[in-house]
Amino acid sequence: MKRLIVVLPMLLLLVACGGGGSESGDQSGVRSLYEGERVEGTIATEGDVDWYSYQVTAPDTLLQVFCNSDTLRPDVDLLMSVYEEDADGNKVRLFATHAPDDAQAPAELLITLFIDAPKEIFIAVRDLQDNEASKDEPYYVRVEEAEADDGNETFAQASQLRVDDEASCQDDAIDKVGDTDCYTFDVEQEGVYVAKVDFHRFSGG
């Protein structure tokens, strides 16, 4: 008998692009961040990239990375990217988000991601096109974390389903940004199995 695990990530991430990229540019002067610390920076010259690092110390951590400014009609369109290192020490992009091009309002950027094991995370902040700069337009970076603790967010905590048994149907919700729900069921014979999810948009008000 085989056991299959179904993962329903449904991550509500405010991001513009996902992973797959790598970074090989100048990463000297990486600044360490601490939880809740608000750090100021500027993109003072064209092509400038500011690097930060944050050490996640606990498994199954929900990480939120904020980058915002107070500047109206900014010259710099902020781009924030989050990376991790692969086995060869190369930085691999996990997620990225950016302010709208030629925005009128101050930047309000947020990346939320689930970190399954302790590791060092890297954050890069730059101009979207690397062609604008201003030493008079500060931005602010902050990292917050919270344990993802709703009870079934990892494979080890997966909720049990029974095939063709409506009584085992689970009623759950993505109740916070970055929430992930995991389920498992036993495969007792060969065949095609369909995992179905019904979404009730207006349930609970």
Side-chain angles (χ1 to χ4, degrees):
M1 179 175 65
K2 297 181 179 179
R3 170 162 291 187
L4 296 184
I5 296 179
V6 180
V7 184
L8 301 179
M10 300 183 188
L11 302 182
L12 307 181
L13 304 178
L14 181 58
V15 298
C17 52
S22 62
E23 181 65 42
S24 58
D26 181 16
Q27 299 158 28
S28 59
V30 178
R31 181 172 181 178
S32 296
L33 297 177
Y34 300 93
E35 184 180 4
E37 179 186 24
R38 188 173 185 253
V39 174
E40 178 180 324
T42 57
I43 305 301
T45 59
E46 289 186 16
D48 189 14
V49 183
D50 294 342
W51 283 94
Y52 304 89
S53 67
Y54 182 79
Q55 183 64 52
V56 179
T57 59
D60 302 333
T61 295
L62 190 67
L63 199 67
Q64 292 186 306
V65 185
F66 301 85
C67 181
N68 67 282
S69 74
D70 300 323
T71 305
L72 291 170
R73 296 181 294 278
D75 292 324
V76 176
D77 301 315
L78 292 173
L79 165 64
M80 178 174 65
S81 306
V82 177
Y83 299 80
E84 66 178 359
E85 284 189 344
D86 63 17
D88 297 322
N90 299 312
K91 289 183 174 60
V92 179
R93 187 180 64 205
L94 299 175
F95 295 102
T97 186
H98 64 82
D101 193 17
D102 296 327
Q104 300 299 303
E108 291 285 347
L109 308 182
L110 168 62
I111 291 177
T112 302
L113 60 163
F114 180 77
I115 307 298
D116 60 352
K119 66 179 68 175
E120 189 172 18
I121 297 298
F122 297 89
I123 303 157
V125 181
R126 66 200 307 165
D127 177 64
L128 180 60
Q129 301 293 338
D130 283 335
N131 61 357
E132 297 285 356
S134 175
K135 62 180 180 180
D136 299 320
E137 297 182 7
Y139 66 82
Y140 307 93
V141 176
R142 187 178 88 255
V143 177
E144 301 284 353
E145 65 177 60
E147 185 178 355
D149 57 359
D150 66 352
N152 65 344
E153 66 279 344
T154 67
F155 289 158
Q157 299 171 315
S159 299
Q160 182 70 42
L161 301 175
R162 294 188 297 273
V163 177
D164 295 328
D165 183 355
E166 292 186 2
S168 71
C169 180
Q170 301 289 322
D171 185 5
D172 212 329
I174 305 302
D175 54 7
K176 61 177 177 288
V177 175
D179 189 15
T180 300
D181 297 330
C182 298
Y183 301 89
T184 182
F185 64 92
D186 297 329
V187 177
E188 299 181 351
Q189 60 185 9
E190 294 183 359
V192 177
Y193 293 81
V194 178
K196 182 179 180 182
V197 178
D198 290 323
F199 176 59
H200 301 285
R201 182 176 182 181
F202 298 107
S203 63

